[in-house]
Amino acid sequence: MTTKSTLVATLGTAVLAGTLSMSSLAASIVSFNGPAGEAYIGKFIKGIKATAELKGFDIKVYENQFNQAEQDQQVQQVLSTGQLPDVFIWWPSDAVAGLGSLRAMHKTGVPVLKINQLPNDQDKKYIFGYAGPDDRLRARNAGVMMVQAAKEKKAAGGTGFNVVALTYPQSYGGYGLSMDAFNAAIEGSDLNLIGEVDEGFGQANGYKGAAKLVAKLKDQGIDFVYGMDDAILTGGLKALEEAGYKMGEDVIAVGTVCNGDKQLLEEGKQYGTTLQSPLHEGQLAIKLVEEYLATGKLENYINFTPNPPITQSNMDTVALKGYDGKVYAIEELCSGAWN
């Protein structure tokens, strides 16, 4: 079995090389992001606040309830005061609909760091860099795990390889990247994607989306489910169970983000997920703010957080070194019901 110290050495050194030091730069930061009540975003906010305090930066966080109109209003309120920060951190609820707000921030001359959703052709000229997850990698990892699960099922004499996907809204930045990478990962295998639903974020929407897929596709047979986010997947698995499916037997589930329920993996109801740490995402954002303020540019325009695959076999031994130099166990890195 791989030891925690080995994983720290390999992942912590290779992926997260470089830690934070105390900065002599006094700076103010305004972050626009979703609600702290959502488990992933709550840990992201914890990361940016704690690291900003470590660096001696002043930071104000504006939360929206996954509502771009609300976020746009917050941007206008901040800009109207005339008291601008040194840096904006921008996590749009909808990158396309929020483009006007991003342009308005850019026009002030205050640099903007984009978070969580990769830059696109429309917004990349308004930001100085990106910090966050690699949507392609995490979806690819999920697809690879699902292919392995399908091979194990086939070797045991099992049949049925139809897949359904519970996804983010199609307007969300990571949707297309994730689906393309997932489909590429399962291509050539026995797996066959027969349907998807983009009901929205969180467990409640995952539940509603899965219920719709069951009603539509049950006669075809649902054998595997891919969750673009474990919170969505958790709700979806509840709907599948209520429809009579035995998770881990009738249906094999693979998710991403590690913001669902640890018990699902422990009980074998979920085959695997990927470790996407919101704490690291917040820490990385402040690290990049410091770099930009010190040098006027970033060494790397795109900056990804790590995303290793997690299964029942390694979930108790994984740990990662943070950008603050501390080592964090999986319970601190994952969000949702993991503590």
Side-chain angles (χ1 to χ4, degrees):
M1 179 179 289
T2 305
T3 65
K4 181 176 291 187
S5 59
T6 301
L7 283 162
V8 170
T10 55
L11 289 172
T13 302
V15 183
L16 299 176
T19 59
L20 295 164
S21 60
M22 290 299 291
S23 172
S24 60
L25 296 171
S28 60
I29 304 167
V30 167
S31 177
F32 296 104
N33 45 251
E38 197 279 327
Y40 186 93
I41 297 174
K43 286 201 172 185
F44 165 79
I45 293 173
K46 179 181 178 181
I48 57 172
K49 284 186 173 181
T51 311
E53 181 179 357
L54 177 68
K55 305 300 294 180
F57 296 156
D58 175 68
I59 186 166
K60 294 181 181 177
V61 176
Y62 291 84
E63 304 172 30
N64 76 87
Q65 300 299 315
F66 298 116
N67 185 306
Q68 190 56 54
E70 180 186 3
Q71 191 173 50
D72 292 340
Q73 186 177 34
Q74 291 169 343
V75 171
Q76 290 303 313
Q77 288 173 344
V78 171
L79 298 186
S80 68
T81 66
Q83 298 179 340
L84 299 177
D86 294 295
V87 177
F88 286 117
I89 292 176
W90 177 238
W91 183 341
S93 179
D94 186 319
V96 176
L99 188 60
S101 288
L102 178 58
R103 286 198 196 101
M105 286 186 285
H106 176 74
K107 285 181 180 179
T108 67
V110 175
V112 183
L113 176 69
K114 191 178 183 184
I115 296 296
N116 197 263
Q117 298 180 59
L118 275 169
N120 55 53
D121 290 339
Q122 288 73 43
D123 65 18
K124 61 184 179 182
K125 59 187 174 183
Y126 302 122
I127 62 176
F128 68 83
Y130 166 82
D134 185 340
D135 294 299
R136 294 184 184 91
L137 176 61
R138 77 182 195 197
R140 178 188 178 280
N141 285 342
V144 169
M145 281 189 283
M146 187 172 285
V147 169
Q148 179 59 36
K151 289 179 179 177
E152 293 171 7
K153 178 178 181 178
K154 188 174 184 178
T159 58
F161 299 93
N162 287 337
V163 183
V164 296
L166 305 174
T167 80
Y168 291 144
Q170 293 190 25
S171 62
Y172 195 76
Y175 166 83
L177 297 172
S178 296
M179 288 308 300
D180 288 347
F182 177 78
N183 283 322
I186 67 172
E187 187 176 1
S189 72
D190 291 312
L191 296 167
N192 177 37
L193 182 66
I194 63 170
E196 62 177 91
V197 64
D198 65 337
E199 193 71 24
F201 303 99
Q203 292 188 29
N205 284 320
Y207 179 90
K208 288 190 291 184
K212 289 180 179 179
L213 286 175
V214 169
K216 181 180 179 181
L217 300 171
K218 190 170 185 177
D219 289 345
Q220 291 187 46
I222 298 174
D223 310 298
F224 291 80
V225 57
Y226 160 54
M228 197 171 285
D229 180 300
D230 282 330
I232 301 172
L233 181 64
T234 300
L237 299 192
K238 181 179 179 182
L240 287 165
E241 286 186 316
E242 289 181 1
Y245 294 96
K246 292 184 178 179
M247 301 311 305
E249 298 181 23
D250 301 329
V251 177
I252 296 171
V254 175
T256 65
V257 185
C258 196
N259 66 339
D261 191 334
K262 180 182 181 181
Q263 189 173 342
L264 293 174
L265 274 83
E266 290 175 331
E267 296 178 351
K269 293 183 178 182
Q270 182 175 345
Y271 183 87
T273 186
T274 63
L275 200 173
Q276 179 178 311
S277 165
L279 185 70
H280 281 76
E281 194 170 334
Q283 291 179 345
L284 178 59
I286 302 302
K287 179 178 183 292
L288 297 178
V289 166
E290 181 193 31
E291 179 184 343
Y292 184 83
L293 290 174
T295 65
K297 61 180 181 179
L298 297 182
E299 181 179 356
N300 298 304
Y301 182 73
I302 301 294
N303 301 270
F304 289 130
T305 52
N307 199 253
I310 302 296
T311 62
Q312 190 180 68
S313 64
N314 71 349
M315 62 188 292
D316 293 325
T317 59
V318 172
L320 291 177
K321 187 177 182 180
Y323 293 99
D324 57 359
K326 298 178 182 178
V327 175
Y328 294 92
I330 193 169
E331 288 80 8
E332 300 170 283
L333 300 171
C334 291
S335 50
W338 273 79
N339 296 323

